[in-house]
């Protein structure tokens, strides 16, 4: 399988189509069926106790699978999440950026399934794991 979008194209797509999160997420690496992303954690992403919030980890998982799918099928902005399950396994390090390691497990014409392991940067123990299913819009 070949990539349909490069790392630079994915980052530009995110900035152009989702300016509300510009600068919060960044694609670090992309290969067929795999993607590595970073969530740039700021004070607004923290919850009481100084840990990164669950919604921030969910957003990283959602953005990561979305971009991994687009890397394979091209810029289909209307691909949407149809299912998500997330396990929060340990407390992320306070105010540390998060890294999402994503793999696409199934890439069909209508549905794609992927999973993401989320890590605090500098720690090899995952803080969360998410499984996501996306609906891919029909295209020309």
């Amino acid at each position: 399988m070949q990539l349909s979008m490069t790392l630079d194209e994915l980052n530009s797509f995110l900035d152009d189509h989702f300016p509300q999160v510009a600068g919060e997420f960044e694609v670090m690496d992309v290969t067929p069926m795999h993607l590595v992303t970073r969530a740039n954690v700021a004070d607004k992403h923290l919850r009481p106790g100084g840990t990164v919030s669950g919604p921030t980890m969910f957003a990283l998982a959602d953005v990561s699978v979305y971009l991994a799918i687009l890397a394979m099928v091209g810029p289909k902005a209307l691909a949407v999440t149809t299912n998500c399950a997330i396990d929060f396994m340990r407390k992320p390090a306070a105010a540390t950026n998060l890294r999402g390691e994503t793999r696409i497990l199934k890439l069909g014409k209508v549905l794609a399934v992927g999973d993401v392991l989320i890590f605090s940067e500098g720690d090899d123990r995952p803080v969360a794991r998410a499984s996501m299913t996306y609906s891919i819009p029909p295209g020309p």
Side-chain angles (χ1 to χ4, degrees), residues 22-108:
E24 291 190 28
F25 303 101
E26 180 181 359
V27 179
M28 306 303 295
D29 188 40
V30 62
T31 58
M33 306 294 276
H34 293 89
L35 185 89
V36 178
T37 48
R38 174 187 295 141
N40 298 310
V41 175
D43 285 344
K44 68 181 179 176
H45 300 113
L46 302 181
R47 57 167 293 169
T51 187
V52 179
S53 70
T56 298
M57 289 185 271
F58 172 85
L60 175 60
D62 198 32
V63 164
S64 297
V65 173
Y66 178 70
L67 292 173
I69 292 166
L70 296 188
M72 298 305 298
V73 302
K76 295 185 183 238
L78 296 180
V80 294
T81 309
T82 60
N83 190 53
C84 174
I86 190 165
D87 298 304
F88 299 103
M89 298 185 287
R90 63 183 44 85
K91 183 178 172 180
T96 300
N97 290 337
L98 298 177
R99 182 181 81 252
E101 296 185 6
T102 305
R103 60 186 178 149
I104 300 301
L105 304 172
K106 176 194 183 290
L107 183 60

Side-chain angles (χ1 to χ4, degrees), residues 107-121:
L107 183 60
K109 291 180 182 177
V110 180
L111 290 177
V113 178
D115 68 11
V116 184
L117 285 175
I118 299 174
F119 301 86
S120 291
E121 284 194 338

